[in-house]
Structures are given as structure tokens and as C-alpha cells.
Amino acid sequence: MTSPKPKVLLSWSSGKDCAWALHVLRRRSDLEVVGLLTTFNEAFDRVAMHAVRRELVEAQAAAVGLPLFPIMLPHPCSNEIYEERMRAAVAEAKANGVTHMAFGDLFLDDIREYRVRRLEGTGIEPLFPIWTTAEDTTDLARTMLAAGLGAVLTCVDPKQLSERFLGRSYDASLLADLPAGVDPCGERGEFHTFCFRSPEFKTEIPVTTGEAVERDGFWFLDLRPA
């Protein structure tokens, strides 16, 4: 009798990296992705940090054919509350047979170590399916684009990248225009994206752009379903 495949829950921010992580995971025959885990700001019903509307994330989940597991966070949210709600979500996932949690992190060791630490003793193992090096993110970006992935910049950190990049498509032209020192995948928080097309999406998710606002030291672009 064959043993059941490990069940993986994927941390889902709505951006290109988690979408690519799903593509990589689904090409493996030794595990099964069973859902997407997303943190939402309770006050605004948007993805924490990316500020993408919940209905767009629900459209992504429908496009990849996976259930969405939301974690609601207050605004503002202390680190204690964040960790408490994540612990509860992890415990519930474990009770439902999840064995691994996957993340779309690329090369920041401190982030990886934090995630490993938070899962210690929970019975759920961390997975980093697209882990690479800072030197290889240009190749990774080109690989994503060659596979047909499409995304738009929804958030920028103006200390690292001009707000003029808000709303731009994540494409070869953007990569060519990024200033020296900005990671091509935005891994140091220079920018965040919303993925509207992916090899895993059954349909593209059409969006229209709304207003841009500055909040908490970042610039955000409001995206709406088209």
C-alpha cells in the first residue's frame, strides 16, 4: 500500500513569487498542494502588506482550483497577535492533515530562519521550493516571464524604488528599467506585485487600476476586478 502524499499549504501573498512557487510545487509528483494561506487586514479586507482586495485573491484561488484559508489580522497588528493567529492557523492545518507549509521566499536568510523557528514543534515542516541566491534572481525573473507569468506592481517602497513604477507590468521592460541595487524580484521589499496570469491559472484575472496612495511610508495602487 502506498503512503499518502505529504499535504502542502502554500503561503499566498497574491504576488508573482507565490504563484511561481505553486507552479514549481505542482510539477512535483511526491506531494500535493491542498490550499492557499493568506493574511488579511480585518479593517480593510485586503492582503496584509500588499493591500490587494480580497475578492482578487479569491479570484486567484478559483483560477488555481484551491481553497483559500484566510487569517484575519487587526489594524494595527502587533507581532504578538500576528504570531498568535498564525499559531492557531497552523494548528488547524495540522489537525486537517497538512504536513508542510511552503513559502515563496528567495534568498533572505533571516526570513527563512524566522519561518523555520515559528514552525518548530508544530508537526508541520517548512518548504522553500524556489529558494535561490541574490545573484540568480535575474535568471529567475526571466524564467517566470518566459513561462507566461504576468503581474503588476501594486506596492513600492519609495526609499528603494520610485513610486513611478507603481502600476507597471512585471516584464522585460521593467527589469531593464530597474535601478542598480534593486532586486529584479523585489526580494528586499523594493516592490510587491499582484499576479494576474500564471501557468497554473485556468483563466487570466483582468484588473483595472484605481488611485495610488501613500500610507505608512509605502505607495500602494488600488486594483479592481475589470
Side-chain angles (χ1 to χ4, degrees), residues 15-38:
K16 61 180 174 38
D17 297 336
C18 60
W20 189 247
L22 177 62
H23 179 58
V24 170
L25 287 166
R26 278 184 160 174
R27 293 169 81 182
R28 291 178 54 173
S29 59
D30 60 331
L31 47 79
E32 178 190 4
V33 181
V34 295
L36 310 176
L37 187 73
T38 305

Side-chain angles (χ1 to χ4, degrees), residues 83 109-122 126:
E83 292 188 351
D109 289 323
D110 56 337
I111 299 290
R112 179 174 177 140
E113 287 161 11
Y114 173 80
R115 302 204 196 284
V116 169
R117 212 163 50 242
R118 298 317 309 170
L119 287 174
E120 274 176 4
T122 64

Side-chain angles (χ1 to χ4, degrees), residues 1-67:
M1 193 173 78
T2 57
S3 57
K5 289 183 183 179
K7 295 186 183 302
V8 181
L9 199 55
L10 174 60
S11 178
W12 188 266
S13 66
S14 79
K16 61 180 174 38
D17 297 336
C18 60
W20 189 247
L22 177 62
H23 179 58
V24 170
L25 287 166
R26 278 184 160 174
R27 293 169 81 182
R28 291 178 54 173
S29 59
D30 60 331
L31 47 79
E32 178 190 4
V33 181
V34 295
L36 310 176
L37 187 73
T38 305
T39 53
F40 290 97
N41 179 315
E42 279 177 344
F44 304 108
D45 212 24
R46 292 172 183 257
V47 179
M49 191 60 238
H50 288 223
V52 168
R53 292 169 180 263
R54 180 169 172 162
E55 61 194 302
L56 287 174
V57 182
E58 290 170 345
Q60 289 178 321
V64 300
L66 288 170

Side-chain angles (χ1 to χ4, degrees), residues 6 21 26 28 48 56 75 116 124 153-154 165 180 190 198 204:
R26 278 184 160 174
R28 291 178 54 173
L56 287 174
H75 179 74
V116 169
I124 289 184
L153 271 64
T154 60
F165 282 83
E190 298 98 331
S198 155
E204 191 169 313

